[in-house]
Amino acid sequence: DTGVSQDPRHKITKRGQNVTFRCDPISEHNRLYWYRQTLGQGPEFLTYFQNEAQLEKSRLLSDRFSAERPKGSFSTLEIQRTEQGDSAMYLCASSPGTGFHEQYFGPGTRLTVT
Amino acid sequence: QKEVEQNSGPLSVPEGAIASLNCTYSDRVSQSFFWYRQYSGKSPELIMSIYSNGDKEDGRFTAQLNKASQYVSLLIRDSQPSDSATYLCAVTSSGGSYIPTFGRGTSLIVHP
């Protein structure tokens, strides 16, 4: 088990372009969470999945953001029509979903919108 | 609005000393408490979890929870320069989603 992986690790894009990030959770974990983190702040919750079902979305998540988790395995987060304010570290975390609820983070994708 | 408060620091301690990091939370029904370490430019790494009042020790780390005071702390004994990082406190309430609220983190600097 290699832990949570994310791809790409870095993304530079121009304002108005669409970007998509991928997250592969720890294989036996059925819960997957997306967060956004900016400098000097803690991670902010965006959305989470239990298996393939998206169960909750933050009010921070505008309609330009969409996430999927087909077949309950990997997940993608897409940002359409990127804005400079979207520049941040996008973090994915997974959790077993039973018993205790520790979350394990991937390395993150750093997005820079120019 | 659930809030988790941490002193942003930096907290500076000499090598070998005990570093004490504190966190308060607003939601009285919070159930799960976590400490993450985050090095600059890296993602958070889980170092401790605690669920019931009292102390929990793991190596050089001790987490302390006082639900009556809505307070959780992390002690790092024999601090090393490699412990220099930002420490994030995360608190989860009941309700099924177990979505944690994170504090802004406390920057710890351990100087030789």
Side-chain angles (χ1 to χ4, degrees):
Chain A
D1 180 9
T2 57
V4 180
S5 62
Q6 292 186 247
D7 184 69
R9 298 288 300 276
H10 303 274
K11 179 70 176 179
I12 300 173
T13 192
K14 294 188 177 184
R15 189 177 52 176
Q17 298 295 303
N18 299 344
V19 294
T20 300
F21 308 142
R22 176 179 171 127
C23 171
D24 287 87
I26 294 170
S27 58
E28 63 269 25
H29 287 186
N30 61 27
R31 292 193 178 206
L32 186 150
Y33 300 77
W34 284 99
Y35 296 88
R36 178 173 63 192
Q37 187 178 25
T38 54
L39 195 63
Q41 303 294 319
E44 289 180 295
F45 168 75
L46 294 178
T47 189
Y48 101 97
F49 294 82
Q50 179 154 328
N51 300 313
E52 66 276 10
Q54 187 174 19
L55 296 186
E56 193 160 335
K57 291 171 63 173
S58 166
R59 281 168 284 180
L60 297 173
L61 210 64
S62 78
D63 57 5
R64 297 185 297 106
F65 288 70
S66 62
E68 293 182 339
R69 192 183 181 194
K71 303 178 183 178
S73 56
F74 71 92
S75 176
T76 58
L77 177 69
E78 180 182 18
I79 309 174
Q80 295 183 327
R81 305 181 303 282
T82 52
E83 302 173 355
Q84 287 189 320
D86 296 331
S87 295
M89 174 80 90
Y90 289 84
L91 295 163
C92 175
S94 71
S95 171
T98 57
F100 301 119
H101 306 288
E102 292 91 350
Q103 295 187 12
Y104 299 88
F105 283 86
T109 295
R110 182 164 298 282
L111 173 66
T112 302
V113 182
T114 61
Chain B
Q1 178 84 10
K2 300 173 186 175
E3 294 182 346
V4 176
E5 300 288 341
Q6 295 182 258
N7 187 324
S8 61
L11 173 66
S12 181
V13 300
E15 184 174 356
I18 296 175
S20 178
L21 304 161
N22 304 315
C23 172
T24 59
Y25 58 93
S26 63
D27 188 353
R28 287 191 170 274
V29 298
S30 297
Q31 291 193 332
S32 307
F33 306 86
F34 307 96
W35 284 100
Y36 287 84
R37 178 175 61 199
Q38 187 171 28
Y39 293 112
S40 180
K42 303 297 186 182
S43 64
E45 173 192 6
L46 179 67
I47 54 172
M48 288 287 287
S49 60
I50 186 165
Y51 300 91
S52 54
N53 280 329
D55 294 0
K56 179 182 177 183
E57 186 174 319
D58 183 0
R60 295 187 296 113
F61 299 100
T62 299
Q64 299 176 318
L65 176 61
N66 183 328
K67 289 187 177 181
S69 300
Q70 295 175 238
Y71 175 95
V72 58
S73 64
L74 179 71
L75 302 179
I76 307 175
R77 289 182 299 282
D78 188 24
S79 296
Q80 301 296 310
S82 60
D83 295 325
S84 299
T86 295
Y87 289 80
L88 298 165
C89 173
V91 177
T92 300
S93 298
S94 61
S97 63
Y98 304 104
I99 298 169
T101 301
F102 284 83
R104 290 187 172 189
T106 297
S107 174
L108 173 66
I109 299 172
V110 181
H111 54 86

